[in-house]
Amino acid sequence: MIALAWIIVTLVSYAAARALARRVNGHPLANTVLVASLPVIVLMVATDTPHETYAEGGIWLLLLLGPATVALAIPLYRNWPKVRAAAGPLLLGIAAGSVTAVSVALISAWALGASIPSLLSLAPKSVTTPIAMGIAQVTAGLPSLAAAIVIVTGIVGAVLGPWLLNRLGIRDQEAHGVALGTAAHGIGTARAFQEGEETGTFSGVAMGLNGIVTALLLPWLLLWLFG
């Protein structure tokens, strides 16, 4: 019953966040994940509910992540000619973004005196939560910290990413998509679809490829650096 209660709380909070986002015409600060998370966190703290208890219900919602990810194949199919035509720049952009994300995280955290487990948890911050947690487990990092950093990274990327790209004079929708998908994974991809299907498609491709490459190579790199 407790697990069911937290599922209901999460769904109600998400529905309210979606309604707010529509009311303000998708303003970046009304990010659905951010707005929906706040009341859930406040309620957990107020009721002294441990994360393990919440996760008993949350695991059922997490199962929906798979079908949602697979659904990205539909816009990819519709926009496949554009993706194929931009394959070269697309791969270069994803590679550059992936290397930059890991390097900036490690160098910044190291300069601030972070511990080795924290460094190992921060490195995969720009991939999806399951991949980041898996990498943290393999490399003796902290899976819970990795998950939290991934969510924060996604929210920050979704809120500030489009604004920063526009300020830098980058207007190309394909570039917007690659940047958001590579740097801010699923949350960034959701924001990219708000800009248009083409932007969202490129973001989904970038998110997927970045996740695959990071999952295959990053554990070996981290074990070599810190093992």
Side-chain angles (χ1 to χ4, degrees), residues 140-164:
L142 305 171
S144 57
L145 176 60
I149 294 299
V150 166
I151 294 172
V152 171
T153 299
I155 292 173
V156 172
V159 172
L160 297 181
W163 172 82
L164 180 60

Side-chain angles (χ1 to χ4, degrees), residues 121-189:
S121 306
L122 286 166
K125 66 179 181 61
S126 291
V127 297
T128 57
T129 303
I131 295 176
M133 294 181 70
I135 292 174
Q137 288 176 331
V138 170
T139 59
L142 305 171
S144 57
L145 176 60
I149 294 299
V150 166
I151 294 172
V152 171
T153 299
I155 292 173
V156 172
V159 172
L160 297 181
W163 172 82
L164 180 60
L165 290 169
N166 288 329
R167 291 283 292 181
L168 293 174
I170 301 173
R171 307 291 181 181
D172 184 81
Q173 294 305 299
E174 296 177 2
H176 273 225
V178 173
L180 289 171
T182 304
H185 51 83
I187 300 176
T189 299

Side-chain angles (χ1 to χ4, degrees), residues 90-107:
L90 175 65
L91 293 175
L92 287 175
I94 295 171
S98 180
V99 171
T100 300
V102 174
S103 300
V104 169
L106 290 177
I107 293 173

Side-chain angles (χ1 to χ4, degrees), residues 35-133:
V35 175
S37 299
L38 290 177
V40 175
I41 294 172
V42 170
L43 188 58
M44 288 179 65
V45 173
T47 58
D48 197 26
T49 301
H51 178 265
E52 291 76 14
T53 301
Y54 174 81
E56 291 177 6
I59 189 66
W60 296 103
L61 297 177
L62 189 61
L63 292 175
L64 299 176
L65 184 60
T69 303
V70 172
L72 292 174
I74 297 174
L76 174 59
Y77 174 78
R78 287 198 288 255
N79 291 276
W80 177 244
K82 295 179 180 179
V83 174
R84 184 174 56 187
L90 175 65
L91 293 175
L92 287 175
I94 295 171
S98 180
V99 171
T100 300
V102 174
S103 300
V104 169
L106 290 177
I107 293 173
S108 300
W110 175 78
L112 294 172
S115 64
I116 296 298
S118 296
L119 289 172
L120 295 172
S121 306
L122 286 166
K125 66 179 181 61
S126 291
V127 297
T128 57
T129 303
I131 295 176
M133 294 181 70

